[in-house]
Amino acid sequence: MKKILLITVTLLLAKPVGAQWKPAGDKIKTKWAEMIDPTNVLEEYPRPIMKRSQWKNLNGLWDYSIQDYGKTMPEKYDGKILVPFAVESSLSGVMKDVGEHKELWYETNFIVPNNWGNKNILLHFGAVDWKADFWLNDIKIGSHTGGYSPFSFDITPFLDGKSQKLVVRVWDPSSDGPQPRGKQIKNPHGIWYTPVTGIWQTVWIEPVNKKSVSDLTITPDLDHNKLNVRAETTGVSYGDILEITVFDGTKRIKNVKGAVGENIEINLDNPKLWSPESPFLYNTTIKLLSGNKTVDEVKSYFAMRKISSKRDENGIVRMQLNNKDYFQFGPLDQGWWPDGLYTAPTDEALKYDIVKTKELGFNMIRKHVKVEPARWYTHCDQLGVLVWQDMPNGDQGPGWQMRSFYKGNEISRTKSSKQIYKKEWEEIIDYLQPYPSIVVWVPFNESWGQFDTVEITEWTKKLDPSRLINSASGGNHFPTGDILDLHNYPDPNLFLYDANRVTVLGEYGGIGLPLEGHLWKTDKNWGYVQFKNSEETTAKYVEYAKKLGGLVKTGFSAAVYTQTTDVEGEINGFMTYDRKIDKMNIAKVRQANEAVIQMLQK
């Protein structure tokens, strides 16, 4: 009888993990918010371009505390936060501001699986905004600055006992600092949005041998029908070898070996090309061999595609895909979520916007002043979408001019601010280099934080010569890079033209339609032009598309429409912010978009 009573009391006192969490606040939410299981958050493998068979997800409910800047590790925490959702977001379960005078602390405990044996254990963070310090079992193991790139620690020497205690401290000055932050601002309004502080991508651990592959650089060379692969490695010895096997589906077509540290060339006979119309991906297995024994193995993929520019028969410099003129057309995609802010509620949600972009008849996405988790780029690779990748804005902006050639204004950033920019941009490029969907790098947007434009452009090109560089999207033009990028709202307008570079319309549109019940704000919603219903909005979109089509023949080689979804106070998306309503007629938009794209094929 006593045993039965004890069990009953224990069950009553035990509070389910899920009961400790619920979304905070009363803002609109996506349908995926209802699908979140706090014991199994974003369970998909986070790095599909370099996949191992074993890993463990550390996402879930952690302890958190918001303290004054400079205080010591908390003795008591404020409550639970759902990682990896930023503390300001609804899905974190907290929804509190932090700011430059506070610090955000996290604590969790995890167990390393017993079957990982004598492996080294790597602790990975997808992204943490902005400056973070880390302790494992009360020993400080490292720090990191930068809100958009992944990083990791080898925590093997610091493991102690069965359960490991991880503590993280984050400081993020948001718009009070010079660091890249995109659209984040401490007082959100208009086109500026809620700050994002702390962990906002998956945290995970994986086991590796002492000799292992740590990074991949994958570059297709379509003109010579070959692929160049270089692998960064850890702990290797002279004589260790990399073996790369290429598969067409499940059929093995190539097997090549090379010494570690060397560029490995893989020749492909009549390669299958990747394009938005036919996004074919080759699969690969990469093995690290030491003494003829496999000590590490990762799975990856690649695409054979080429992005370039060339003058056409009319003397216009055109973007080319796989050595053919190709008009790139897509939406400005900011990647914000009403419930998760920077973080999509689920992987299905992360993929949804890309699927919708394809349904709308687009072949490109401009990822605007934000960097996404690795899985987003893999979805683009698999679905067939070209990507222009912006560097997130930071620091301040000079006076912005957009209608003159080569009269760009620049700010004088401090040495520290320049170093922050270059460190983060280089890390972003290194992180995203293997993803074939990315075809354009955009170092600056609308003058924000723009400095040393020619130098930064040339440096970016040196970091990755395989892609085009759009130096200054929207204005403050300099005679550098591959692209002249114009912005014009609301309608398309070719008011400048460069006879020696590709000319594109980097932003236009912004047709607004506020829909009650799907608004982040009840007042002061914003769009360049606003209409009252879907029919009017669609008609105006089609009108603009027809005008754009006429400008393709006279000079435009790409265009970007603003935007994929509403975002906070902006109501100019194809979809509402909660993704529950399509605000235009999808079939009519698709027909109009396909007509524009086909202008270069006529």
Side-chain angles (χ1 to χ4, degrees):
M1 184 66 183
K2 287 183 179 179
K3 289 183 178 179
I4 295 173
L5 179 61
L6 178 61
I7 292 171
T8 303
V9 171
T10 302
L11 289 173
L12 288 172
L13 291 176
K15 192 175 183 181
V17 173
Q20 302 177 52
W21 171 86
K22 65 177 182 179
D26 57 0
K27 296 285 190 182
I28 57 172
K29 295 173 179 60
T30 66
K31 66 179 182 180
W32 299 283
E34 302 172 0
M35 304 176 186
I36 290 177
D37 175 1
T39 66
N40 195 22
V41 182
L42 295 173
E43 67 271 24
E44 296 81 10
Y45 191 84
R47 190 191 55 202
I49 200 74
M50 202 178 92
K51 187 174 183 179
R52 291 191 175 92
S53 58
Q54 292 182 306
W55 72 294
K56 182 176 181 178
N57 193 335
L58 300 188
N59 293 342
L61 288 170
W62 296 21
D63 294 322
Y64 88 94
S65 181
I66 298 173
Q67 296 196 148
D68 290 338
Y69 182 88
K71 281 200 170 183
T72 57
M73 197 175 295
E75 296 181 2
K76 182 180 179 182
Y77 285 86
D78 300 343
K80 297 289 184 180
I81 184 170
L82 187 60
V83 170
F85 298 104
V87 68
E88 295 91 348
S89 74
S90 171
L91 294 183
S92 71
V94 180
M95 207 172 182
K96 293 181 180 178
D97 294 333
V98 182
E100 67 165 337
H101 302 298
K102 301 281 187 178
E103 292 174 322
L104 172 62
W105 290 82
Y106 298 86
E107 183 176 320
T108 191
N109 290 273
F110 64 91
I111 295 173
V112 177
N114 290 328
N115 63 351
W116 287 4
N118 296 320
K119 300 288 187 74
N120 285 11
I121 308 303
L122 302 182
L123 171 64
H124 297 281
F125 290 84
V128 181
D129 195 0
W130 179 71
K131 181 182 185 300
D133 301 289
F134 305 88
W135 290 261
L136 191 69
N137 300 320
D138 297 321
I139 298 172
K140 188 172 183 181
I141 61 171
S143 302
H144 182 265
T145 59
Y148 298 96
S149 56
F151 57 95
S152 61
F153 301 99
D154 185 341
I155 60 173
T156 313
F158 311 105
L159 298 175
D160 185 13
K162 184 177 181 180
S163 180
Q164 316 301 324
K165 183 177 79 169
L166 173 64
V167 175
V168 181
R169 176 179 64 191
V170 180
W171 175 70
D172 181 11
S174 188
S175 51
D176 287 320
Q179 81 291 344
R181 62 181 183 274
K183 290 292 192 77
Q184 302 177 57
I185 192 170
K186 64 180 181 180
N187 296 311
H189 63 278
I191 64 170
W192 307 103
Y193 318 139
T194 304
V196 172
T197 300
I199 298 168
W200 66 275
Q201 289 187 32
T202 291
V203 185
W204 53 295
I205 55 174
E206 69 171 342
V208 298
N209 286 319
K210 291 179 175 58
K211 294 184 177 185
S212 62
V213 176
S214 56
D215 198 11
L216 295 174
T217 301
I218 303 173
T219 310
D221 181 354
L222 199 62
D223 293 336
H224 299 94
N225 289 345
K226 69 181 181 181
L227 182 79
N228 296 293
V229 180
R230 187 179 183 92
E232 299 295 327
T233 52
T234 300
V236 296
S237 304
Y238 182 75
D240 291 343
I241 293 171
L242 283 168
E243 180 180 30
I244 303 174
T245 306
V246 178
F247 299 88
D248 180 342
T250 58
K251 181 183 178 182
R252 172 175 153 170
I253 60 171
K254 281 286 180 178
N255 183 262
V256 180
K257 294 181 180 180
V260 295
E262 294 296 321
N263 177 66
I264 299 176
E265 294 184 356
I266 302 172
N267 294 305
L268 296 168
D269 299 325
N270 300 313
K272 296 181 180 179
L273 304 186
W274 182 98
S275 69
E277 295 73 30
S278 180
F280 179 82
L281 297 173
Y282 290 93
N283 295 317
T284 62
T285 298
I286 300 168
K287 294 181 179 180
L288 177 59
L289 307 177
S290 183
N292 293 320
K293 180 182 177 181
T294 300
V295 294
D296 193 19
E297 179 177 333
V298 298
K299 295 187 182 303
S300 188
Y301 65 86
F302 68 89
M304 292 302 290
R305 69 99 185 92
K306 177 186 175 183
I307 185 69
S308 58
S309 62
K310 187 177 181 180
R311 196 177 302 277
D312 69 9
E313 66 276 9
N314 297 315
I316 300 172
V317 181
R318 297 292 188 185
M319 279 189 177
Q320 290 197 323
L321 179 66
N322 302 333
N323 293 322
K324 294 181 180 179
D325 292 351
Y326 192 89
F327 190 84
Q328 298 187 25
F329 192 17
L332 193 78
D333 188 324
Q334 309 209 56
W336 282 75
W337 301 85
D339 34 31
L341 298 181
Y342 257 18
T343 310
T346 67
D347 189 65
E348 180 187 354
L350 186 71
K351 184 178 178 179
Y352 182 81
D353 288 0
I354 308 169
V355 172
K356 185 63 67 173
T357 297
K358 292 284 285 189
E359 288 179 2
L360 288 163
F362 290 116
N363 58 24
M364 176 264 279
I365 288 171
R366 181 180 172 197
K367 179 49 62 177
H368 190 45
V369 295
K370 185 201 175 190
V371 178
E372 293 289 357
R375 292 192 63 84
W376 186 87
Y377 299 94
T378 291
H379 289 319
C380 289
D381 295 340
Q382 293 172 341
L383 292 169
V385 180
L386 302 167
V387 176
W388 295 11
Q389 179 60 58
D390 287 11
M391 171 62 171
N393 295 338
D395 214 300
Q396 301 298 313
W400 178 33
Q401 69 80 22
M402 54 189 291
R403 294 185 175 269
S404 299
F405 275 116
Y406 309 151
K407 293 182 180 179
N409 300 313
E410 296 180 320
I411 66 169
S412 179
R413 294 176 76 151
T414 66
K415 181 179 180 181
S416 173
S417 177
K418 289 182 179 181
Q419 289 173 340
I420 289 170
Y421 174 97
K422 294 188 72 173
K423 172 184 179 294
E424 295 199 31
W425 189 219
E426 184 171 8
E427 288 180 352
I428 290 167
I429 292 173
D430 179 64
Y431 155 46
L432 296 178
Q433 191 280 336
Y435 295 93
S437 53
I438 299 173
V439 293
V440 174
W441 298 117
V442 188
F444 299 112
N445 174 71
E446 293 187 349
S447 85
W448 195 256
Q450 188 172 340
F451 74 103
D452 297 346
T453 309
V454 174
E455 176 190 333
I456 293 298
T457 299
E458 292 174 352
W459 174 66
T460 302
K461 194 72 169 182
K462 184 177 180 181
L463 290 173
D464 184 5
S466 71
R467 293 175 168 101
L468 301 180
I469 313 299
N470 183 0
S471 304
S473 181
N476 276 11
H477 304 300
F478 283 78
T480 187
D482 302 296
I483 296 169
L484 173 70
D485 183 323
L486 314 180
H487 291 185
N488 196 78
Y489 287 99
D491 59 324
N493 189 6
L494 181 60
F495 55 84
L496 286 179
Y497 168 76
D498 195 326
N500 296 308
R501 294 186 295 175
V502 174
T503 303
V504 306
L505 183 61
E507 292 183 31
Y508 82 99
I511 301 171
L513 176 62
L515 292 180
E516 189 174 349
H518 302 275
L519 298 174
W520 173 269
K521 298 169 65 175
T522 56
D523 62 349
K524 296 183 180 178
N525 289 298
W526 186 86
Y528 287 95
V529 289
Q530 293 194 31
F531 293 92
K532 297 180 180 179
N533 56 55
S534 178
E535 290 75 19
E536 290 180 353
T537 307
T538 302
K540 183 56 68 173
Y541 181 87
V542 172
E543 176 190 325
Y544 287 171
K546 288 180 178 178
K547 182 176 180 181
L548 174 63
L551 298 173
V552 173
K553 288 293 186 182
T554 56
F556 278 141
S557 292
V560 178
Y561 177 84
T562 303
Q563 62 183 328
T564 307
T565 71
D566 294 350
V567 185
E568 299 202 358
E570 294 187 55
I571 43 82
N572 49 15
F574 287 109
M575 295 179 282
T576 54
Y577 196 17
D578 57 15
R579 276 74 166 174
K580 292 180 179 178
I581 303 291
D582 294 330
K583 298 199 294 179
M584 297 188 199
N585 184 305
I586 299 298
K588 290 183 178 180
V589 170
R590 181 183 182 90
Q591 184 179 25
N593 289 344
E594 289 177 342
V596 172
I597 291 170
Q598 291 166 6
M599 292 299 294
L600 284 188
Q601 278 70 52
K602 291 181 179 179

